[in-house]
Amino acid sequence: MLTWWWHQPLEVKIAGQCAPVLAGVKPSNMLVLENKHIRDVVRTLEGTGLSWRCLYAGDEKNIWLLYRKAALEEIVFREEERMFLAENGYEEDRLDQMLVRLGQRFREYRRTQDIPFPHEMGVFLGYPMADVKGFIKHEGKNYLYSGYWKVYENVEERKELFKSYEQIRYVFIQEAEKGKNLWEITSEWQCMTA
């Protein structure tokens, strides 16, 4: 399956990894791509309404954060999330500054692994605080369910959410495999769900 994935067109790779963000039902997602796609990411994402930041550039792959700015700002500046981020060294008052810090922390972890993984990334990925804190408290163990992330409470609600993400992912991949570009798929989705 992994071999199939890496040989797909860029639009299919992005749709497969980030469809819920493209559809506007999730604020952000990680995107892992081979280095050869660096220049094409910007062109491919034009017209989708997404912002992006490369968090890590490795020898073979890059790790990007694709996000909807307003939706992500709403999350990181909510009281509980803001306090959690401040406790983890995020004193910045703008999203772009916070993302610079997240990128620095993630690169440092990837480069040396002398520091712990920056689990605050879960906040930037729009995971519920209960699941972010549960993951940290239980060191990734003792979860109640695992899907798009490890779940520590509200299992049935998360299962329904993950199911909707999978349905969206299926539609976006199918449309991308037909040769549609991402802005077309995103526009059509928004018209269908408006």
Side-chain angles (χ1 to χ4, degrees), residues 10 14 33-45 52 54 56-64:
L10 182 58
I14 295 173
L33 293 172
E34 305 99 320
N35 287 350
K36 68 181 180 180
H37 292 303
I38 290 176
R39 291 188 182 103
D40 297 325
V41 169
V42 174
R43 175 194 54 79
T44 304
L45 293 173
W52 51 86
C54 184
Y56 178 77
D59 292 336
E60 296 177 22
K61 296 177 187 167
N62 294 318
I63 301 174
W64 299 75

Side-chain angles (χ1 to χ4, degrees), residues 63-168:
I63 301 174
W64 299 75
L65 180 70
L66 271 58
Y67 61 98
R68 292 197 174 274
K69 186 177 181 188
L72 190 53
E73 283 177 332
E74 184 179 319
I75 289 169
V76 301
F77 291 115
R78 286 191 305 223
E79 186 175 349
E80 184 179 11
E81 285 81 351
R82 186 69 191 107
M83 287 175 44
F84 175 81
L85 290 171
E87 291 167 4
N88 283 280
Y90 292 80
E91 298 295 334
E92 300 82 5
D93 58 1
R94 291 190 352 236
L95 177 61
D96 62 328
Q97 295 168 329
M98 292 174 144
L99 294 178
V100 167
R101 178 170 303 282
L102 176 63
Q104 290 168 342
R105 291 173 60 94
F106 188 65
R107 283 189 299 278
E108 180 69 17
Y109 165 76
R110 292 289 302 223
R111 188 171 47 250
T112 67
Q113 296 192 355
D114 289 338
I115 64 168
F117 182 86
H119 292 297
E120 68 273 13
M121 186 174 291
V123 174
F124 292 99
L125 291 171
Y127 300 171
M129 280 304 305
D131 294 335
V132 173
K133 288 179 177 180
F135 186 91
I136 293 167
K137 178 181 177 182
H138 298 284
E139 298 178 338
K141 300 175 183 133
N142 303 325
Y143 50 89
L144 303 174
Y145 185 76
S146 182
Y148 276 72
W149 59 83
K150 291 184 178 176
V151 175
Y152 290 86
E153 68 177 43
N154 299 325
V155 173
E156 292 308 314
E157 180 183 309
R158 303 291 194 267
K159 283 182 178 180
E160 286 301 311
L161 182 63
F162 297 162
K163 182 179 174 183
S164 71
Y165 287 174
E166 280 302 304
Q167 291 168 340
I168 292 166

